Amino acid sequence: MTTTKPRILTGDTPTSTGLHLGHFVGSIENRLALQDQYECYFLIANVHAFTTLADKPSDIRANTMGIVKDWLAVGLDPSRSTFVLQSEIPAIAELTFLLAMLIPFNKVMRNPTLKTEMTTKDMGETYPFGFPMYAVGQCADILAFRPELVPVGEDQEAHIEMCRDVALKFNQLYCGVNNRTPPSEHHKAGGVFPIPSAKIGRVGRLIGLDGVQKMSKSLGNAIFLYDSPKDVQKKLNRITTGRQSPTEPGDANNVLMQYVDAFIAGKDPARAAEIKRRYTTGDNLGDGHVKQELGEVINALIDPMRARRAELETPAGEERVLGVIRDGIRKANIIAEETLHLAKKAMGLDFGRRTVG
Ligand code: TRP
């Protein structure tokens, strides 16, 4: 492994299992493509899972194992990338506390991503202190690895913005970086933290089978990466567009056409353009035909993943997953400890260096 590759960090919270096509086009596809060009850190935010599931530790554990299995099944490769288990990286917890001093409380409470979560999850006034704190924790997750890029869905942008702000402030306050230094120059100017940028996936938001809302497990409008080939086709066949016949000009932005963009255009742009032309001009291309073609393309995409996922649901698979987790902890702590040391030194907290491992 060369050390000259730029770094990326991203992650998932193990609050549920089962990747669907929305996750695939929103983030997984992006991660797969980045594995060669970047030094990648993929974080399992299992501590954050306790913000909403503190009373269900066994679910969190099962989901944690499930996420690693999902990652291995889709082709994330632990020999090229590091899988980071948040709860075993003490530097993240320490940085969370230190960074919390540099983020105004009211700014956390105004964070639009947190606010949306509070309403969609109906959290009312009863959420734990740790819930808003996770936004600060996410800054620490990121900065502990000093990445340049953070590939995420657009719902995470507010968190990345907060992370950038706190990194700028840290570098200015403790590393003598001038407040007119542009973010891209901070590291060169002596800042501990490079200022990371969000990288939003190709399809930020994949529409669900209902053609209205974002694809999501809880809305029941998702195709899962582990649905059987038959179920994939059945689900597609149930999509309604309101189009009456193959000679009626179809809507270029309906759910079927959005899926053509998401699943055919990347691989075969000419075919996607042909489908769209015939569909929108009413050139005898029926919804049923498009659904069939989408079914074939989607099944070809997920067949190998489904097979790999099944292999991991065995005792040997379970052992492999634990091995990958332990290996990742070891690799991740090397860099996170180094970051913490640099940060503490900048803060005048370098009273002695410990080893973690
Ligand atoms: N909050 C993210 C999500 O729910 C998961 C996450 C935790 C994350 N820490 C991160 C993503 C750091 C990117 C970087 O999807």
Side-chain angles (χ1 to χ4, degrees):
M1 207 197 287
T2 65
T3 48
T4 51
K5 284 186 192 171
R7 257 180 229 151
I8 68 171
L9 177 129
T10 188
D12 297 322
T13 311
T15 42
S16 65
T17 43
L19 292 177
H20 54 61
L21 290 178
H23 297 124
F24 189 80
V25 297
S27 67
I28 300 292
E29 190 182 49
N30 210 357
R31 293 180 195 179
L32 289 171
L34 294 166
Q35 282 195 115
D36 287 322
Q37 293 147 280
Y38 291 87
E39 187 180 319
C40 294
Y41 291 84
F42 299 122
L43 175 111
I44 307 133
N46 62 334
V47 176
H48 292 189
F50 282 82
T51 58
T52 56
L53 293 175
D55 56 340
K56 299 200 174 75
S58 53
D59 286 8
I60 297 175
R61 191 182 172 96
N63 294 342
T64 297
M65 297 292 286
I67 283 195
V68 175
K69 289 175 191 168
D70 285 347
W71 287 357
L72 293 172
V74 297
L76 297 186
D77 176 3
S79 69
R80 281 185 290 166
S81 304
T82 304
F83 292 9
V84 183
L85 187 68
Q86 193 182 43
S87 60
E88 289 303 325
I89 314 300
I92 292 178
E94 287 180 58
L95 275 176
T96 301
F97 211 119
L98 298 173
L99 296 176
M101 309 307 169
L102 305 184
I103 304 176
F105 180 75
N106 288 319
K107 192 165 150 184
V108 176
M109 300 315 285
R110 281 196 306 266
N111 178 306
T113 301
L114 288 186
K115 282 174 130 182
T116 310
E117 258 178 285
M118 286 182 200
T119 15
T120 53
K121 294 179 187 161
D122 209 8
M123 298 176 90
E125 295 290 308
T126 63
Y127 56 81
F129 183 75
F131 175 73
M133 198 169 80
Y134 101 70
V136 181
Q138 184 154 340
C139 299
D141 293 339
I142 297 168
L143 296 178
F145 296 89
R146 285 170 282 147
E148 267 126 84
L149 275 187
V150 186
V152 283
E154 61 190 11
D155 63 315
Q156 297 291 307
E157 269 183 301
H159 289 331
I160 312 305
E161 201 49 47
M162 206 161 89
C163 177
R164 288 170 60 87
D165 287 350
V166 74
L168 290 166
K169 196 153 166 190
F170 187 101
N171 290 342
Q172 286 162 359
L173 209 51
Y174 300 127
C175 314
V177 176
N178 192 291
N179 64 8
R180 285 180 309 276
T181 303
S184 58
E185 298 297 311
H186 260 234
H187 191 48
K188 254 188 244 142
V192 166
F193 300 114
I195 310 303
S197 309
K199 181 174 165 49
I200 309 298
R202 183 168 64 90
V203 180
R205 218 172 257 275
L206 184 71
I207 194 161
L209 295 164
D210 55 8
V212 184
Q213 280 175 292
K214 176 181 160 179
M215 185 174 284
S216 128
K217 182 180 183 172
S218 56
L219 293 170
N221 62 1
I223 292 181
F224 294 94
L225 295 182
Y226 318 111
D227 278 341
S228 71
K230 259 195 184 156
D231 283 344
V232 169
Q233 193 62 58
K234 259 199 235 158
K235 285 182 175 183
L236 288 168
N237 290 348
R238 267 187 248 129
I239 291 175
T240 52
T241 65
R243 187 166 175 247
Q244 304 293 340
S245 85
T247 51
E248 176 185 325
D251 175 359
N253 292 312
N254 73 15
V255 45
L256 292 180
M257 292 304 106
Q258 289 190 41
Y259 288 174
V260 168
D261 276 336
F263 301 106
I264 300 181
K267 277 218 167 73
D268 191 349
R271 180 60 194 152
E274 166 77 0
I275 294 174
K276 291 187 94 171
R277 185 192 59 75
R278 289 187 54 197
Y279 192 84
T280 53
T281 57
D283 184 9
N284 203 28
L285 184 69
D287 280 25
H289 183 93
V290 177
K291 290 172 183 176
Q292 192 64 36
E293 200 161 326
L294 280 169
E296 280 159 25
V297 171
I298 291 171
N299 274 320
L301 173 76
I302 67 185
D303 276 344
M305 300 174 188
R306 204 188 278 125
R308 282 195 293 264
R309 186 64 161 79
E311 265 170 41
L312 291 166
E313 288 299 343
T314 58
E318 206 83 359
E319 269 313 302
R320 161 133 199 262
V321 169
L322 288 171
V324 164
I325 290 176
R326 285 189 209 113
D327 209 41
I329 291 170
R330 195 181 43 73
K331 285 199 279 174
N333 270 322
I334 294 171
I335 166 156
E337 282 295 306
E338 182 181 87
T339 306
L340 182 68
H341 175 69
L342 292 171
K344 286 172 89 172
K345 196 166 151 205
M347 298 173 80
L349 293 172
D350 53 333
F351 291 104
R353 200 169 170 184
R354 61 159 189 229
T355 41
V356 166

